[in-house]
Amino acid sequence: MKILKDRYQRTINYLRISVTDRCNLRCQYCMPEEGIPLIAHGDILRYEEIHRLVRVYAQTGISKVRVTGGEPLVRKGIVDFIAELSAIPGINDLSMTTNGVLLKDFARSLKTAGLKRINISLDTLNPDTFLSITRRDKFHDVWAGIKEALRVGFCPVKLNVVTIKGENEKEVLDFARLTLEFPLVVRFIEYMPAGESSWTPDLVYPNSHIKKEIQSLGELTPVNDEENNGPAVRYRLNNALGEIGFINPISNHFCHSCNRIRLTADGHLRTCLLNDEEMDLKPFLRNGCDDEKLKEILLQALGTKPKQHQIKEAHFKKCQRTMSAIGG
Ligand code: SAM
């Protein structure tokens, strides 16, 4: 198997693909009420273009793929797309990040299509707060989607909780208690300066505070499981069915071990979530370039992957693209 390295000798094996910039929620910190100017349909990569890229990049060392968006489940034909992705030689980990609104209807067919793991974004357990954060009254649909994902046997099912001061930090213990009752992996993610968000440093609720709060429920035992190691620092409460994870991009970034690149919905290769530098693959894909050229562009892009994000630097500029277009 090939090993792909960037200029800082980090192994790059993980591609996150945004299949659409469309979304059926309007989370306050992600998109404005009226939505964002949408990428024209013709500029969105076709499924066959994405499949080709994954096939080529799997030959360079990419072995993990996550499908995200926008909301991936709103794109037509997503199940067949997943089935074809899962058949690509060399891709041994295929996952999806979804808001869960449509998951109840899709969970079983996604599982059958070969999706291995699923992450569901959910920032509150209170239907009214859900409406206020997402501007859509869909809490019960998401909860039904989570239960269906467990029922059809996805394992792990992870819940991604972005905590924002003054918004949902009061629910930390409720989320932690969920892991006592359900085999869910609840991950607290620090709020990041991306896209439409009105991010300021004082809105970040540091995970160190959350961890302390959760320790009031009992001891947190570290979980070390090499196989599922990502950026989350993981723990388990005594007798819990699930786990608690902390993803600390702000307070304790993990750039030194970053193994990711991203493909935006309009075909740009992006090597850092929080840096707007991108390489546009679409003209090459659409002008009949050969596979070697696509590999060459990947190597070129990796040459620009920053050592780390610059959030704490005075010159840091918030990303211009919204998370929905980058693929959060
Ligand atoms: N629609 C899918 C979903 O909701 O999971 C996938 C796309 S969404 C952009 C992916 C994740 O990015 C969500 O968990 C969302 O909460 C997160 N996100 C969006 N803006 C963020 C920000 N400024 N900081 C941290 N996470 C953010």
Side-chain angles (χ1 to χ4, degrees), residues 255-311:
C255 304
H256 55 279
S257 61
C258 183
N259 60 349
R260 302 162 178 208
I261 51 174
R262 292 178 150 83
L263 181 65
T264 65
D266 57 352
H268 291 231
L269 207 50
R270 187 173 170 112
T271 57
C272 172
L273 175 63
L274 295 166
N275 183 309
D276 276 322
E277 200 153 332
E278 297 178 349
M279 303 272 288
D280 189 0
L281 286 166
K282 206 161 37 346
F284 298 94
L285 279 169
R286 294 190 176 173
N287 287 330
C289 83
D290 63 15
D291 292 353
E292 290 314 307
K293 183 70 192 169
L294 295 175
K295 291 179 191 170
E296 192 187 306
I297 298 169
L298 171 60
L299 293 180
Q300 234 175 301
L302 282 184
T304 67
K305 186 171 167 70
K307 190 170 183 192
Q308 59 184 68
H309 70 60
Q310 304 288 315
I311 293 175

Side-chain angles (χ1 to χ4, degrees), residues 97-275:
T97 299
T98 168
N99 60 32
V101 171
L102 300 173
L103 188 57
K104 182 168 188 291
D105 291 337
F106 276 99
R108 183 168 293 284
S109 46
L110 288 171
K111 184 93 175 52
T112 308
L115 191 73
K116 295 229 163 60
R117 301 186 293 117
I118 200 144
N119 290 10
I120 302 157
S121 305
L122 182 65
D123 300 332
T124 174
L125 296 170
N126 177 319
D128 293 332
T129 313
F130 186 94
L131 172 60
S132 146
I133 293 177
T134 68
R135 304 188 179 103
R136 298 289 183 273
D137 191 9
K138 296 285 182 191
F139 173 80
H140 296 288
D141 300 72
V142 178
W143 188 247
I146 292 169
K147 288 210 295 206
E148 186 66 4
L150 288 171
R151 208 173 66 80
V152 304
F154 277 107
C155 183
V157 174
K158 297 183 183 174
L159 298 194
N160 288 347
V161 186
V162 176
T163 22
I164 302 180
K165 251 191 227 164
E167 200 66 68
N168 59 348
E169 85 270 27
K170 290 193 184 71
E171 296 192 49
V172 161
L173 292 184
D174 294 335
F175 272 109
R177 283 190 200 99
L178 270 189
T179 69
L180 298 171
E181 204 180 332
F182 300 97
L184 291 168
V185 177
V186 171
R187 305 177 334 149
F188 296 99
I189 303 177
E190 288 171 344
Y191 185 30
M192 289 181 280
E196 286 296 323
S197 66
S198 49
W199 185 91
T200 57
D202 45 309
L203 289 175
V204 177
Y205 191 58
N207 271 339
S208 52
H209 292 203
I210 298 183
K211 184 175 170 206
K212 246 189 217 140
E213 234 181 286
I214 295 177
Q215 279 166 327
S216 70
L217 294 180
E219 194 183 340
L220 280 174
T221 307
V223 175
N224 290 310
D225 162 3
E226 288 300 319
E227 209 180 297
N228 280 315
N229 258 350
V233 185
R234 298 160 55 197
Y235 297 90
R236 194 183 279 278
L237 283 165
N238 284 342
N239 301 320
L241 301 176
E243 278 180 26
I244 293 167
F246 299 103
I247 301 184
N248 314 320
I250 309 292
S251 64
N252 192 10
H253 73 76
F254 36 84
C255 304
H256 55 279
S257 61
C258 183
N259 60 349
R260 302 162 178 208
I261 51 174
R262 292 178 150 83
L263 181 65
T264 65
D266 57 352
H268 291 231
L269 207 50
R270 187 173 170 112
T271 57
C272 172
L273 175 63
L274 295 166
N275 183 309

